[in-house]
Amino acid sequence: GACRLAAAVVLSGQAGLSVPDSSVIKPGIESESVLADWEPADVRALMERGIFNDIIYGAVRFRHREVRELLAAEWFESLLKNGNSRYAIESLFFREQYGERIITPRLRPVLPWLILLDEGIRHKALQILPEIAVEAGDPSKLPLYERQKILNDIVERIVANQGDRSARDNSAIARIANSDLSADALRLIHEYQKNDEAIFFLGRLVWQGELANCIEPLMVIALDSSRGIYARVASTRAVMSCGTVEKKQKFWQKLN
């Protein structure tokens, strides 16, 4: 029931859910219509659970956005598992616009969760926008080879000055900063060591994931006064987060 209500909120764009037996006339989604096969008392009991906030003017909202999006993703997954039309469901998420495949903006927040649950949707979403994997959800649950490709695609798009900036904030980087990606991170640092934008991203990846085997090339960048300040700051943080005491001391002496 919670999954169905979450899907109704996401699909309609209306945050409020009316509570059965309320005497207040209010806008929003009629929860009794979404759960028409439930008894009104059961619907009200569900809406008094902790995933919703307190009843205000006869309506409730999901307490946390990410919980709502995860529940909606689980509802879409159940439709796919129960034999509903994959084409019809995928057409809600992916559209053709001016000859290009795009992700429907309203359903975009659901995708970081849904790609963890359905392989077909995962492949289509990551082909269009690899950054989607790190906007929310838990990309650490994805297979290693897919996370390697996501990291590689994100860095390539940064270098090409393409794509969405959603993958570049610290919370997004933290979601993908696993130690099993350290070899890939080191390879990308060497490959794009002259690109300050790429190093700003990769330096924070090393810092967030404490990828100690990646700090040598970042020390060189941090000490190079001709480089951009943000690339140097990210590189410095990486060194200080996972370098040995000896390397930190040596680094600060050279920097001073």
Side-chain angles (χ1 to χ4, degrees), residues 124-170:
K124 289 192 175 182
L126 297 183
Q127 282 179 353
I128 298 171
L129 192 67
E131 293 92 335
I132 204 82
V134 298
E135 289 181 354
D138 186 5
S140 67
K141 300 298 183 186
L142 294 173
L144 174 60
Y145 73 90
E146 293 206 4
R147 288 185 284 116
Q148 290 172 322
K149 187 176 187 309
I150 290 167
L151 176 60
N152 195 73
D153 288 348
I154 289 174
V155 174
E156 285 185 353
R157 286 160 70 85
I158 290 173
V159 172
N161 199 26
Q162 296 176 342
D164 202 296
R165 300 191 69 86
S166 59
R168 306 188 197 184
D169 65 53
N170 288 339

Side-chain angles (χ1 to χ4, degrees), residues 14-199:
Q14 299 183 69
L17 292 158
S18 65
V19 177
D21 302 325
S22 172
S23 59
V24 181
I25 299 175
K26 63 279 173 187
I29 298 168
E30 290 291 338
S31 56
E32 288 180 275
S33 298
V34 177
L35 300 175
D37 53 331
W38 285 40
E39 293 293 331
D42 293 335
V43 177
R44 186 180 180 94
L46 168 63
M47 301 179 80
E48 290 174 349
R49 299 281 179 169
I51 60 170
F52 300 100
N53 61 14
D54 296 334
I55 299 173
I56 301 175
Y57 299 116
V60 299
R61 296 186 176 204
F62 281 94
R63 193 176 297 275
H64 297 293
R65 177 181 56 82
E66 287 198 330
V67 170
R68 179 189 71 203
E69 290 157 2
L70 170 59
L71 290 170
E74 290 179 348
W75 183 78
F76 282 111
E77 181 202 20
S78 71
L79 293 184
L80 292 166
K81 283 186 173 179
N82 292 332
N84 289 274
S85 168
R86 175 169 287 275
Y87 174 80
I89 294 168
E90 289 186 353
S91 67
L92 296 172
F93 290 90
F94 310 114
R95 302 282 176 86
E96 191 89 18
Q97 189 175 69
Y98 305 117
E100 289 190 10
R101 294 281 283 170
I102 65 164
I103 292 171
T104 306
R106 178 172 288 180
L107 293 183
R108 177 170 172 166
V110 177
L111 276 177
W113 298 102
L114 188 54
I115 63 173
L116 304 176
L117 306 174
D118 185 82
E119 187 175 355
I121 285 183
R122 178 162 73 242
H123 289 322
K124 289 192 175 182
L126 297 183
Q127 282 179 353
I128 298 171
L129 192 67
E131 293 92 335
I132 204 82
V134 298
E135 289 181 354
D138 186 5
S140 67
K141 300 298 183 186
L142 294 173
L144 174 60
Y145 73 90
E146 293 206 4
R147 288 185 284 116
Q148 290 172 322
K149 187 176 187 309
I150 290 167
L151 176 60
N152 195 73
D153 288 348
I154 289 174
V155 174
E156 285 185 353
R157 286 160 70 85
I158 290 173
V159 172
N161 199 26
Q162 296 176 342
D164 202 296
R165 300 191 69 86
S166 59
R168 306 188 197 184
D169 65 53
N170 288 339
S171 60
I173 292 171
R175 293 188 185 100
I176 200 173
N178 285 27
S179 59
D180 57 2
L181 289 175
S182 60
D184 300 272
L186 182 59
R187 173 182 56 81
L188 290 166
I189 290 169
H190 284 301
E191 187 172 347
Y192 298 112
Q193 59 183 321
K194 296 186 182 301
N195 187 290
D196 281 352
E197 287 289 324
I199 295 301

